[in-house]
Amino acid sequence: MHADPITAFYTAFTRGDGEAMAACYSGEIAFDDPAFGRLTGQDAGDMWRMLCGASGSPTVTFQVVQSRSGSTTVRWTADYAFGARRRPVHNEVVAHLVVRDGLIVEHHDVFDFPRWARQALGLPGLLLGWSPLVQRKVRAGARARLAAFQARA
């Protein structure tokens, strides 16, 4: 358990340490965001292991903006290159996290998916980033990459 799992989680993120990030999660973690959808347990921790282990892991900054009664809101940004074309992405995220017994049990990331799609996907993202079809395709790709990562681990 961590005295301050939120700070430990995001400090590990700034170092690209997915293993330390996953250690801040409860085994019962429920995570969700626009790119991966809902992930629970080991899948959520493995997502961070995968993202931080990727070549050129993101440059991350964060700020805790509100914390009370076990619920915390964090604003964080990540700068990274996405996909085979290595398109530069600057993603601004608001995270809502819940801590119980010294570990994170809920983690909900919110970001502007159409803005992200414009940066990460180029012209298709510019034209169709608002579309649920594009979001489903991105989510399917993200989950396939996670499954491939888990199969190698």
Side-chain angles (χ1 to χ4, degrees):
M1 291 200 294
H2 304 278
D4 181 1
I6 304 296
T7 300
F9 180 88
Y10 285 100
T11 299
F13 200 5
T14 66
R15 294 189 319 263
D17 187 347
E19 193 63 42
M21 293 172 73
C24 296
Y25 276 169
S26 161
E28 305 300 314
I29 183 68
F31 171 88
D32 69 270
D33 81 349
F36 282 88
R38 182 175 170 82
L39 299 173
T40 57
Q42 184 74 30
D43 291 345
D46 283 347
M47 175 196 62
W48 296 114
R49 289 179 184 99
M50 176 185 75
L51 293 174
C52 288
S55 173
S57 62
T59 300
V60 175
T61 60
F62 74 96
Q63 177 184 15
V64 174
V65 293
Q66 180 180 347
S67 186
R68 64 181 135 151
S69 303
S71 179
T72 302
T73 301
V74 175
R75 290 188 189 278
W76 62 273
T77 62
D79 292 287
Y80 56 97
F82 182 83
R85 294 192 177 184
R86 312 290 296 157
R87 288 190 171 97
V89 172
H90 174 80
N91 200 16
E92 299 177 4
V93 182
V94 175
H96 304 282
L97 303 102
V98 175
V99 172
R100 190 175 312 118
D101 298 326
L103 293 169
I104 302 167
V105 295
E106 294 178 31
H107 182 170
H108 178 71
D109 279 351
V110 179
F111 60 86
D112 183 339
F113 185 84
R115 182 178 185 274
W116 176 88
R118 284 192 304 272
Q119 296 173 75
L121 305 177
L123 186 58
L126 175 66
L127 298 175
L128 298 170
W130 55 269
S131 165
L133 177 66
V134 170
Q135 189 167 3
R136 282 193 300 272
K137 185 173 180 173
V138 165
R139 186 170 292 162
R143 287 181 173 255
R145 286 189 306 279
L146 178 58
F149 172 82
Q150 290 172 319
R152 289 188 305 269

